[in-house]
Amino acid sequence: MTAPLDVSGSATEAHPESVLAGAGKAIQGRSLTRIAWMRLKRDKIALAGGIVVALLILVAIFSSPIISVFGSPPLEFHQDQIDPNTLLPKGFFGGVSGEHLLGVEPVNGRDIFSRIVAGSGISLLIGFLATILSVLIGTTLGVVAGYFGGWVDQVIGRLMDVFLAFPLLVFAIALAGVIPDKAFGLEGNGLRVAMLIFIIGFFSWPSIGRIVRGQTLSLREREFVDAARSLGARHGYILFREVLPNLLAPILVYATLLIPTNILFEAALSFLGVGVNPPTPTWGGMLSEAVRFYTLPHFVLFPGLAIFVTVLAFNLFGDGLRDAFDPRTH
Amino acid sequence: MLTYIIRRLIGAFAMLIVISMVTFGIFFVVPQWAGATPEAMASRYVGRAATPETVALIAERLGFNDPVAVQYGRFMKGVFAGAEYDYGAGVEQCPAPCFGYSFISGQPVWPELVNRMPVTFSLAIGAAVIWVLAGVSVGVLSALRRGSFFDRLSMGTALAGVSLPIFFTGMISLVVFSYGLGWTAPGGAYVPFTQNPALWAYDLLLPWITLAFLFAAGYARLTRAGMLETMGEDYIRTARAKGLREREVVVKHGLRAALTPILTLFGIDFGLLIGGAVLTETTYTLPGLGQYAILAIRNQDLPPVMGFVLVAATFVVIASLIVDMLYAVVDPRVRLS
């Protein structure tokens, strides 16, 4: 196994033009990050994914102004939009109109567009923070295992195996179920969001941990680490100054690919009713309400598509990022 | 080979111990960290109407005041040897494996779990068969016709597949294939295999495909990558130079080598599979273990959830163990090391 940034031998066969682009002009030094960025710029699909991701983040950040302009408060009932006999929305495709861009929910008539926009915040917040937590745990344990080797590696390796084979969702369901309404100085949905971040992050670190461990194993044998060691550098210096900077690219790539997994995880927990408590809107929660109204395509489609588009965009962007940093996996 | 098997058996046993500790921790230690007193935990067992004295008595009888290690020991004893619940009014015998009684129905948990096991196992095993067959064959075909329309289409579908939540595909296919076209069962029904195999398959067909789709996508991508790599190896050229038929080259030399990482993935995917089964059962309202646990969670009914967690985790460990054994059959390096 070689380091992810080692493009020697593969760069020319992957994208000869990127290496030869400077021929004729004065020869410029290019950092590996710049080479990766040039490759990424050429990957239209990955760029499209990246743009969607950026838009989604903007939507999540500016959800309240967006809702106030294009929708109505996500918790507001609109009984006038509901047929009192069937309790289903009046009008075309679940009440799609200029006022309700994606229609309204059955029974209480809440605006679906506003609820989806409001739900994006929770999905992305939990997706990002849980990923940061798994990256912190995974990188620490992976670097320690790979760098020190021996029994430390054995113990951490076994731990990763155990976590990888664990029925995560099952334990997450159980944990989310036993948490009381008030604990650790938090209560209500604040506590639930914190718990979800902790549960998802704590259970999904081994995938990053394995990759970091593998990369560290190969970095440890490289000449520059030997050089630092022979100059008398301490472990801490080698880890933070020599090993970690070289791990940033793979960590970034796999963190990007872990975010969509974690978003799906949150949606699944909310769908099962052990995520964030209603009436706070979440995409998974909206789908779980839609189960009872399968005859209403808009009620199922819009929240489902919100999850799908988000997860797909992150996956496309992450795949492109990985190919850009390491063309051999292509 | 024998050392390998013994090592794996020890590993599986250790895993079960860890799982029992984690389960115990979740249900008996975490609530106390989160601030629940022994009395608060006991009150779940006797209902809200009980007087504080009764609750304190029950807390003492059920041993919530004992050290954690003693409580864990009692918990494990219940699972392996059965337990006796002394409620004061009389002693209740709970035969092994004892996972306690549902707070809501008052019924013992284990028989209910046993009743529901065939549903979940039918769902999980059927889906696993479908996704391995579909994923591997699509992956092989894509690799052999790299860049073709089929390759692009199947890889595009695979990428969409890993990005779709299972409950969304489940609901969409229910609406389209069941209510719309009327091809498949409307969900919610289960007929035991022994009673009517045709009806059994008919009822489970849509859940199987839904559950398998998510995994098949990942397997197709992995198989394709693995096949592309092995088909470029020197020994493939050698096999062709020997004059072997192309089918033999692909299956015996190419696929066999590409199969190892797929088996590895299969071994650790059982955990995800159980999670997927819970979601599928909830989407299709199938009366399986997952649905039982989700209904119990919504009612704050902890013993069924605990029983489900232990049973599901045990299934995962045993299934992974079986895959590890298969691994040794496929990859000679494993049994020789």
Side-chain angles (χ1 to χ4, degrees), chain A residues 23 62 91 114 123-124 163 183 195 225 240 330:
Chain A
F62 297 106
S114 307
S123 270
L124 292 185
F163 266 84
M195 276 310 300
V225 175
F240 283 98
H330 197 56

Side-chain angles (χ1 to χ4, degrees), chain B residues 132-147:
Chain B
V132 170
L133 290 181
V136 170
S137 41
V138 167
V140 169
L141 287 176
S142 288
L144 293 181
R145 298 181 194 161
R146 186 184 188 178

Side-chain angles (χ1 to χ4, degrees), chain B:
Chain B
M1 186 73 185
L2 194 66
T3 32
Y4 174 75
I5 291 177
I6 291 173
R7 243 192 11 235
R8 277 285 163 256
L9 280 174
I10 294 173
F13 184 72
M15 180 89 174
L16 283 175
I17 299 282
V18 171
I19 280 171
S20 72
M21 285 178 171
V22 173
T23 313
F24 171 79
I26 287 176
F27 288 96
F28 295 98
V29 183
V30 172
Q32 297 199 16
W33 282 348
T37 56
E39 281 72 27
M41 292 176 65
S43 72
R44 285 175 166 162
Y45 284 82
V46 287
R48 290 198 173 81
T51 61
E53 291 77 32
T54 326
V55 171
L57 189 71
I58 295 295
E60 188 57 43
R61 287 240 170 89
L62 292 177
F64 287 126
N65 297 315
D66 293 343
V68 172
V70 175
Q71 291 190 43
Y72 174 70
R74 195 182 303 117
F75 166 76
M76 290 308 283
K77 186 173 166 255
V79 173
F80 285 110
E84 287 177 354
Y85 284 104
D86 183 357
Y87 286 110
V91 179
E92 186 119 30
Q93 284 288 341
C94 174
C98 175
F99 295 111
Y101 296 84
S102 160
F103 297 162
I104 305 293
S105 69
Q107 296 299 311
V109 168
W110 177 247
E112 186 70 31
L113 288 173
V114 172
N115 277 340
R116 286 164 176 272
M117 270 180 209
V119 184
T120 305
F121 288 163
S122 303
L123 175 65
I125 294 168
V129 170
I130 293 178
W131 97 56
V132 170
L133 290 181
V136 170
S137 41
V138 167
V140 169
L141 287 176
S142 288
L144 293 181
R145 298 181 194 161
R146 186 184 188 178
S148 68
F149 175 71
F150 175 79
D151 180 25
R152 282 151 186 248
L153 181 74
S154 51
M155 286 305 112
T157 314
L159 187 63
V162 292
S163 307
L164 277 167
I166 217 166
F167 39 94
F168 181 50
T169 32
M171 283 159 76
I172 295 288
S173 41
L174 206 52
V175 169
V176 174
F177 296 110
S178 216
Y179 305 121
L181 299 168
W183 290 352
T184 49
Y190 174 81
V191 178
F193 178 78
T194 47
Q195 208 172 317
N196 187 341
L199 211 54
W200 170 80
Y202 174 75
D203 281 338
L204 284 172
L205 186 65
L206 211 51
W208 277 340
I209 295 176
T210 308
L211 184 51
F213 182 56
L214 170 82
F215 291 95
Y219 281 64
R221 293 177 84 184
L222 191 72
T223 311
R224 181 179 177 275
M227 280 300 279
L228 283 178
E229 205 180 311
T230 45
M231 291 307 279
E233 296 279 349
D234 287 345
Y235 64 83
I236 295 290
R237 200 181 47 197
T238 311
R240 285 198 179 120
K242 279 196 307 195
L244 282 186
R245 273 177 302 159
E246 186 62 22
R247 231 183 62 184
E248 261 175 88
V249 176
V250 170
V251 175
K252 281 198 175 162
H253 296 260
L255 185 59
R256 173 132 186 206
L259 221 50
T260 324
I262 292 164
L263 260 183
T264 314
L265 187 64
F266 194 63
I268 56 178
D269 263 357
F270 285 104
L272 282 180
L273 171 62
I274 283 290
V278 174
L279 288 168
T280 314
E281 283 170 12
T282 313
T283 314
Y284 289 98
T285 53
L286 287 172
L289 294 173
Q291 192 206 31
Y292 182 49
I294 292 300
L295 288 177
I297 270 270
R298 287 184 185 153
N299 293 326
Q300 286 286 303
D301 188 4
L302 296 184
V305 185
M306 197 177 76
F308 164 69
V309 170
L310 274 180
V311 167
T314 308
F315 162 74
V316 169
V317 171
I318 292 171
S320 309
L321 188 68
I322 294 171
V323 170
D324 278 345
M325 302 289 152
L326 281 178
Y327 209 93
V329 176
V330 173
D331 189 347
R333 283 171 299 183
V334 172
R335 50 172 188 261
L336 291 176
S337 70

Side-chain angles (χ1 to χ4, degrees), chain A residues 92-154:
Chain A
F92 168 72
F93 205 66
V96 173
S97 65
E99 211 167 312
H100 301 287
L101 293 175
L102 300 178
V104 294
E105 293 190 342
V107 183
N108 49 33
R110 289 179 297 196
D111 185 50
I112 291 184
F113 173 80
S114 307
R115 291 178 67 74
I116 288 180
V117 171
S120 67
I122 287 183
S123 270
L124 292 185
L125 181 77
I126 294 179
F128 272 103
L129 291 184
T131 304
I132 290 174
L133 180 62
S134 3
V135 166
L136 286 179
I137 304 176
T139 307
T140 311
L141 290 181
V143 165
V144 167
Y147 184 77
F148 292 104
W151 67 269
V152 180
D153 187 25
Q154 289 269 318

